[in-house]
Amino acid sequence: MPKINKYVDIDTVEREAKKDLIDRHSPFIHCNETAKAGEPFEVTVKMGNEYTHPDDFDHYIESVSLFNGETLLAKATYVPGTLGNVKAHNTTTFTIIPTGKKLNLVAHGYCTKHGIWECTPVEVAVAE
């Protein structure tokens, strides 16, 4: 099983290089706090909040995955250079159909050089 790196609040980190490494490799979930059961619901995953990630042929975000708890909901894969070989925020929007009473969303981003990174979980209430 590969190691999963988890996001830590970069405000608690002293070294700028460490802040950069953590932030640009961490996925951040952006979505509404509530969803309606059975209706399309958009979840955007953005890699990096303050710092951008390179899109080089030997160092890029290869995939972004979205989970509800331990259940994989969606995954997007990328080839190097799709962001134009510049530092950029890889941003992926997934459309899912919520079920149950709540969603426990977690995103993983996979960097070809620095492995798997996991976001802070986001809970979404699902209304009938």
Side-chain angles (χ1 to χ4, degrees):
M1 179 72 163
K3 176 185 177 200
I4 296 178
N5 300 289
K6 296 193 180 204
Y7 177 75
V8 296
D9 184 354
I10 63 170
D11 290 339
T12 65
V13 177
E14 292 184 20
R15 290 183 24 243
E16 191 67 25
K18 185 79 168 170
K19 287 182 182 185
D20 181 331
L21 175 75
I22 293 168
D23 184 85
R24 71 179 166 149
H25 287 101
S26 296
F28 293 85
I29 292 177
H30 300 277
C31 64
N32 291 330
E33 294 178 0
T34 60
K36 189 154 183 158
E39 293 188 9
F41 180 70
E42 288 190 351
V43 179
T44 298
V45 179
K46 178 180 169 188
M47 294 301 296
N49 190 40
E50 296 180 31
Y51 298 86
T52 57
H53 192 280
D55 187 33
D56 300 325
F57 287 93
D58 64 342
H59 183 197
Y60 66 100
I61 299 298
E62 191 244 17
S63 64
V64 175
S65 303
L66 180 66
F67 295 84
N68 180 20
E70 294 182 4
T71 303
L72 178 64
L73 298 176
K75 182 175 183 176
T77 57
Y78 298 91
V79 295
T82 55
L83 298 176
N85 280 335
V86 295
K87 281 191 169 190
H89 290 287
N90 176 312
T91 303
T92 307
T93 300
F94 299 105
T95 301
I96 62 171
I97 306 296
T99 59
K101 301 230 183 269
K102 68 179 176 178
L103 297 170
N104 292 306
L105 299 176
V106 175
H108 285 178
Y110 177 69
C111 170
T112 57
K113 197 171 196 174
H114 298 103
I116 300 171
W117 290 75
E118 182 175 287
C119 74
T120 302
V122 172
E123 188 172 293
V124 176
V126 178
E128 294 288 325

